[in-house]
Amino acid sequence: MNLGLIGLGKMGNNMRERLREAKIDVVGYDSNPAVTDVADLPALAAALTTPRIVWVMVPAGKITDSVIADLAEVLEDGDLIIDGGNSRFTDDFKHAEQLALKGINFVDAGVSGGVWGLKNGYGLMVGGRDEDVQRAMPIFDALRPEGPRAEGFVHVGEVGAGHYAKMVHNGIEYALMQAYAEGYELLDTKKDIIKDVTGTFKAWQRGTVVRSWLLELLVLALEEDPEFEDIEGYVDDSGEGRWTIEEAIANAVPVPTISASIFARFVSRQEDSPAMKAVAALRNQFGGHAVKKAD
């Protein structure tokens, strides 16, 4: 079996390696000549046996739109495109309709695992027709973690369902990270009685109800830099958290924890939060509480 893989960045390159380890013939394309296997998309299409399968692993939005449009010009009736990026689920509907005009099939795959996926495997959430998903199952099995398929792979539903599930997954991820971060700050401020913050988190890795892979990653980060002196508190967001909140509003589903976590990220980008200035001013006005003068 062979596969075309477009996008050989941090995740794409690791995915190519994991697939090759599983004896799947991968032809990769990237705009970076240092990592690409072929010069362009026509060469990619020519290198694959028909009917072809091409996995797109590029940033969501305009770049994904452009790649899929270009692929539609070099692929043929019966070929299959899998979008494994973090596309918004509504874009999947557009892409599926666009490709259907050429007889090209489409599957959306939410992928979780980051830079650790090469070693640990990738959690996969897939949307599309049954026949298309089954056709690509050897690829999904090669990428997912070892163990029962149902614990690392799910065919969520029709086109769009995979990226919808990944969107909610990332919304939950935002909230979990924020909870760990707030716990860290509270422990770190109580150094008169808490003598080992890193050890506290490490001790939670077995037997406690808050153990998780995210907790393990936090312990790794703390062991490298216990006071986070080498990192700024600026936190970006890639879109899925916002989309989760927008969907919650559209469907009248309360998500206060996820909402709070993304707003906390916005606060992290302000060197001196205007909102917090307003809170300080109000406390001074109604209660005479002291305010800290700006330098």
Side-chain angles (χ1 to χ4, degrees):
M1 183 176 196
N2 65 9
L3 169 72
L5 178 60
I6 300 174
L8 300 173
K10 291 179 181 179
M11 284 187 69
N13 195 47
N14 282 348
M15 289 170 67
R16 176 173 61 173
E17 187 173 342
R18 185 174 176 89
L19 288 163
R20 286 176 173 172
E21 289 177 355
K23 309 304 180 185
I24 292 177
D25 179 20
V26 181
V27 181
Y29 170 71
D30 194 277
S31 58
N32 180 1
V35 298
T36 193
D37 297 321
V38 292
D40 51 31
L41 293 184
L44 177 77
L48 300 174
T49 56
T50 58
R52 306 172 184 88
I53 302 179
V54 178
W55 188 299
V56 178
M57 202 68 190
V58 299
K62 292 182 179 180
I63 297 178
T64 296
D65 291 344
S66 176
V67 169
I68 288 179
D70 291 342
L71 278 174
E73 299 303 317
V74 299
L75 298 184
E76 301 171 337
D77 181 69
D79 290 344
L80 171 64
I81 291 177
I82 302 172
D83 177 10
N86 280 329
S87 294
R88 189 166 187 166
F89 75 99
T90 49
D91 288 344
D92 296 327
F93 306 148
K94 175 184 67 177
H95 294 150
E97 291 178 4
Q98 174 187 0
L99 294 170
L101 297 174
K102 297 289 186 73
I104 301 169
N105 302 305
F106 180 81
V107 164
D108 59 289
V111 182
S112 181
V115 297
W116 294 84
L118 173 59
K119 176 184 177 182
N120 299 334
Y122 301 88
L124 301 171
M125 298 141 269
V126 173
R129 300 186 309 166
D130 289 343
E131 53 266 43
D132 294 329
V133 173
Q134 286 304 313
R135 179 179 159 196
M137 193 58 72
I139 297 166
F140 298 137
D141 280 339
L143 289 172
R144 68 174 176 82
E146 295 180 6
R149 179 186 286 169
E151 294 181 7
F153 169 89
V154 60
H155 180 191
V156 191
E158 297 299 319
V159 166
H163 280 147
Y164 196 98
K166 180 58 162 50
M167 174 191 73
V168 175
H169 166 282
N170 281 27
I172 294 170
E173 177 187 296
Y174 278 43
L176 290 173
M177 286 193 289
Q178 186 64 30
Y180 284 132
E182 291 173 6
Y184 162 77
E185 183 172 354
L186 185 56
L187 287 170
D188 194 55
T189 61
K190 202 64 177 175
K191 289 183 176 176
D192 55 331
I193 61 171
I194 302 295
K195 302 303 182 185
D196 190 353
V197 174
T198 300
T200 300
F201 279 101
K202 194 168 187 176
W204 292 349
Q205 289 180 277
R206 294 181 183 273
T208 77
V209 296
V210 298
R211 65 189 185 275
S212 73
W213 185 40
L214 281 174
L215 178 62
E216 293 174 18
L217 294 176
L218 179 58
V219 170
L220 287 176
L222 285 167
E223 288 177 337
E224 292 174 2
D225 183 6
E227 299 295 332
F228 294 138
E229 294 176 338
D230 298 330
I231 191 171
E232 291 186 8
Y234 180 100
V235 185
D236 211 339
D237 68 285
S238 56
E240 297 92 338
R242 300 183 189 215
W243 302 339
T244 302
I245 295 170
E246 290 172 6
E247 277 296 297
I249 293 171
N251 292 280
V253 175
V255 289
T257 307
I258 295 174
S259 300
S261 70
I262 194 167
F263 290 135
R265 293 191 179 200
F266 297 161
V267 171
S268 80
R269 302 169 202 174
Q270 300 172 329
E271 291 185 7
D272 194 4
S273 168
M276 292 301 99
K277 288 184 178 182
V279 171
L282 285 169
R283 293 180 75 247
N284 178 256
Q285 289 293 324
F286 71 70
H289 301 287
V291 294
K292 184 178 181 180
K293 298 297 183 180
D295 293 334

